[in-house]
Amino acid sequence: IACASVSAMEPDVFVLDEPTSNLDIQAIENLRETLLRWKSRGKTIVIAEHRLYWLTELCDRVVYLQDGQIELDLSMRDFRRFSQKHLQQLGLRTLEPEKFTGRQVSPQPCDTITVQNYRYAYKHSPQPVLDIPLAALPKGGIIAVIGHNGAGKSTFSKCLCGLQKRFKGTCRCKKNVFSRRRMLKQSYLVMQDVNHQLFCESVEEELRLSQTQEDEAVLLQTMTALELLPFKDRHPMSLSGGQKQRVAIACALLAQKEFLIFDEPTSGLDFHHMEQTAALLRSLKGKQTLFLITHDPEFILRCCDFVLHMEHGKITEQYPLDQTGYSKLQQFFI
């Protein structure tokens, strides 16, 4: 919709800021075709982006910024000669689609969480956007929720954490039954647009607001782990998109809820901070149950151990991320 609206104005220059952050593979390809049409009409296109693989056949020139300064200015042909190691040293992501190999399989948690009667329809709509009669998921696991745009992933996350008031489904673990109201108290959701959940005058105040119990050591540890100490006195709204995302992730960790739900948590994150966030989430395995709604295969392969695949409001597949799981995941992303 944004691309169509801007295109109708027929400008000479188009500027796109992280245009693929919430897009699935097909939507990224559709976007690339749109940009190629603009380019064929002689338009100038400037793209600020962390996902790079889809740009290699589209862009002619690469400008690399560091601390507000231009560090590199070169052709895409020269940039494609950079090794993977060199790209990582620059904090950049791969130029090739992710390879789904080489990750050690970790054991699955023993206990399961059962979601039951997860059905939801928007008001005045006859068709449900979510229809999951029953599903068993690993308690204490790190669960990737995948699916194409419009599959019902975000609706699932809002029902899971109790935000949809007309939702009647339940979540069970052993003898514990989590109603919508109880899930509202036991869950924390990091939204796609974190601007909706940042309220305070400084980053430090924002993090303290999220703490269940005041603990200076844990606060300092979390700020250090996500490299937020330099921004602790800054207003959250003055930060970049990736920095805001890290603040929201830190808030979720400090809340110490039983269920953590992250909707596109790597939006705006470069390679270094994506790896850093993945490592931090891996450390929570077995302690809390994490749901990561994402279109980012690099991120999934670095921290997830289970995949929940949704389409048209239903679960089409669910599987552990072992060697067989890699093959299924590759079929979805490649």
Side-chain angles (χ1 to χ4, degrees), residues 6 18 94 129 170 182 206 214 228 231 243 265 293 296-297:
V6 173
E18 299 284 352
T94 180
V129 291
T170 58
R182 189 173 176 188
E206 197 74 57
E214 287 191 22
L228 292 173
F231 313 111
Q243 290 162 352
I293 300 166
D296 189 344

Side-chain angles (χ1 to χ4, degrees), residues 19-268:
T20 66
S21 60
N22 298 324
L23 299 186
D24 62 33
I25 298 297
Q26 185 57 55
I28 291 174
E29 180 58 27
N30 293 342
L31 174 65
R32 194 176 74 87
E33 291 174 0
T34 296
L35 301 190
L36 284 172
R37 285 198 295 273
W38 291 348
K39 185 177 179 180
S40 69
R41 287 156 47 194
K43 305 297 184 179
T44 300
I45 307 170
V46 181
I47 308 171
E49 180 64 287
H50 289 301
R51 290 184 183 183
L52 302 178
Y53 69 90
W54 70 283
L55 297 173
T56 55
E57 302 296 333
L58 173 68
C59 293
D60 309 291
R61 177 179 167 191
V62 176
V63 177
Y64 175 79
L65 296 175
Q66 182 71 35
D67 298 323
Q69 303 290 323
I70 294 178
E71 294 286 325
L72 296 172
D73 187 348
L74 64 166
S75 68
M76 176 57 80
R77 178 181 295 179
D78 291 338
F79 182 66
R80 292 185 68 174
R81 296 193 182 103
F82 284 14
S83 67
Q84 184 63 29
K85 183 178 179 181
H86 190 186
L87 290 170
Q88 291 180 4
Q89 288 172 344
L90 294 172
L92 300 177
R93 297 204 183 196
T94 180
L95 294 179
E96 303 293 336
E98 184 63 50
K99 295 180 175 63
F100 292 81
T101 58
R103 181 171 174 261
Q104 186 175 358
V105 180
S106 56
Q108 288 295 311
C110 297
D111 293 334
T112 59
I113 296 169
T114 303
V115 294
Q116 203 166 1
N117 297 322
Y118 265 51
R119 294 185 176 93
Y120 187 80
Y122 290 110
K123 200 171 182 180
H124 307 305
S125 174
Q127 295 297 325
V129 291
L130 188 67
D131 186 9
I132 304 173
L134 188 68
L137 305 169
K139 184 180 186 297
I142 305 176
I143 303 164
V145 184
I146 66 171
H148 291 94
N149 290 126
K153 304 183 300 297
S154 293
T155 302
F156 171 74
S157 71
K158 291 174 184 176
C159 290
L160 182 66
C161 64
L163 286 178
Q164 299 289 17
K165 291 184 178 180
R166 294 184 294 108
F167 173 68
K168 304 297 183 183
T170 58
C171 182
R172 298 172 180 267
C173 182
K174 294 184 177 179
K175 295 182 180 180
N176 293 321
V177 179
F178 297 88
S179 64
R180 184 191 73 82
R181 289 180 180 274
R182 189 173 176 188
M183 287 298 287
L184 197 58
K185 295 179 180 178
Q186 296 294 329
S187 306
Y188 194 103
L189 169 66
V190 174
M191 302 176 184
Q192 277 189 25
D193 186 352
V194 296
N195 292 301
H196 294 309
Q197 54 189 139
L198 299 175
F199 310 106
C200 296
E201 296 297 315
S202 73
V203 169
E204 184 174 352
E205 287 180 39
E206 197 74 57
L207 301 186
R208 288 186 184 278
L209 180 65
S210 298
Q211 279 190 296
T212 306
Q213 295 179 338
E214 287 191 22
D215 190 323
E216 293 297 323
V218 171
L219 179 66
L220 180 62
Q221 181 183 9
T222 305
M223 282 198 289
T224 302
L226 288 169
E227 297 184 3
L228 292 173
L229 272 176
F231 313 111
K232 69 184 184 70
D233 297 321
R234 290 265 301 272
H235 195 292
M237 290 299 109
S238 72
L239 302 178
S240 71
Q243 290 162 352
K244 289 177 186 175
Q245 195 75 20
R246 279 149 52 202
V247 172
I249 291 169
C251 289
L253 301 180
L254 289 168
Q256 296 183 329
K257 302 292 186 180
E258 190 167 346
F259 302 95
L260 301 181
I261 302 104
F262 300 87
D263 199 346
E264 299 292 356
T266 58
S267 173

